[in-house]
């Protein structure tokens, strides 16, 4: 999978990030799940909600996902697979698709970034960027240098 080039990747409000690639807008909103986390056991669980909006003129299908999950120590885990949450949605112009998933980390903070492999109805594949976003728990230690 090639690295996507996003037209924009920016926060649109606190804890909400968006990127647009070839008229596919991907917005992510992460949150910490204290009830599923166990900081004393180095287990920090995060959920993230992803909204994919087709702002273009062609129908597209989401075929696969590729995530890079980087914990607070810089360790990277790569996740690849078909679709998202067991689905491969097709979006006509103006349609959107939203799902929620999760990620456990051994550190109180981390970063996720990735891409969705998309395909137009005419068979042309492309990667839609998933913006980099922070996973931060209340246990995150902040220092200024």
């Amino acid at each position: 999978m090639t690295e996507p080039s996003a037209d924009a990747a920016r926060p649109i409000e606190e804890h909400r990030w968006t990127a647009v690639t070839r008229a596919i807008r991907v917005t992510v909103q992460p949150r910490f799940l204290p009830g599923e986390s166990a900081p004393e056991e180095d287990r920090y669980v995060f959920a993230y909600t992803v909204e994919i909006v087709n702002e273009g003129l062609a129908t597209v299908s989401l075929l696969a996902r590729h995530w890079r999950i980087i914990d607070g120590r810089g360790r990277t885990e790569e996740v690849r697979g078909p679709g998202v949450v067991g689905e491969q949605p097709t979006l006509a112009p103006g349609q959107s698709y939203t799902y929620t998933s999760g990620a456990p980390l051994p550190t109180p903070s981390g970063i996720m970034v990735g891409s969705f492999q998309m395909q137009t109805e005419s068979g042309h594949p492309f990667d839609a960027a998933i913006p980099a976003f922070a996973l931060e728990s209340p246990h995150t230690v902040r220092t200024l240098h």
Side-chain angles (χ1 to χ4, degrees):
M1 200 178 276
T2 60
E3 201 60 32
S5 94
D7 298 330
R10 61 184 169 80
I12 56 175
E13 63 182 56
E14 187 178 356
H15 304 295
R16 198 165 168 207
W17 294 83
T18 191
V20 179
T21 308
R22 292 186 55 176
I24 302 301
R25 179 177 302 278
V26 178
T27 302
V28 183
Q29 186 168 14
R31 66 188 178 282
F32 177 64
L33 301 177
E36 296 184 33
S37 298
E40 65 283 356
E41 298 172 12
D42 292 329
R43 180 174 168 79
Y44 303 87
V45 180
F46 300 86
Y48 53 90
T49 299
V50 178
E51 179 185 41
I52 305 162
V53 181
N54 182 354
E55 297 177 341
L57 301 176
T59 296
V60 297
S61 295
L62 189 158
L63 303 179
R65 70 192 182 286
H66 174 212
W67 285 104
R68 283 192 314 273
I69 306 166
I70 305 155
D71 72 18
R73 294 184 190 107
R75 289 181 297 225
T76 300
E77 177 184 357
E78 298 216 24
V79 177
R80 297 175 188 268
V84 291
V85 296
E87 298 183 8
Q88 292 181 311
T90 296
L91 303 172
Q95 286 187 322
S96 66
Y97 176 82
T98 302
Y99 75 95
T100 299
S101 191
L105 290 180
T107 59
S109 66
I111 297 171
M112 289 181 67
V113 65
S115 61
F116 294 124
Q117 182 185 6
M118 309 294 287
Q119 182 172 294
T120 64
E121 62 188 339
S122 60
H124 293 91
F126 67 97
D127 288 343
I130 303 168
F133 59 94
L135 301 171
E136 295 183 329
S137 76
H139 306 278
T140 302
V141 177
R142 301 194 193 293
T143 58
L144 295 175
H145 298 281

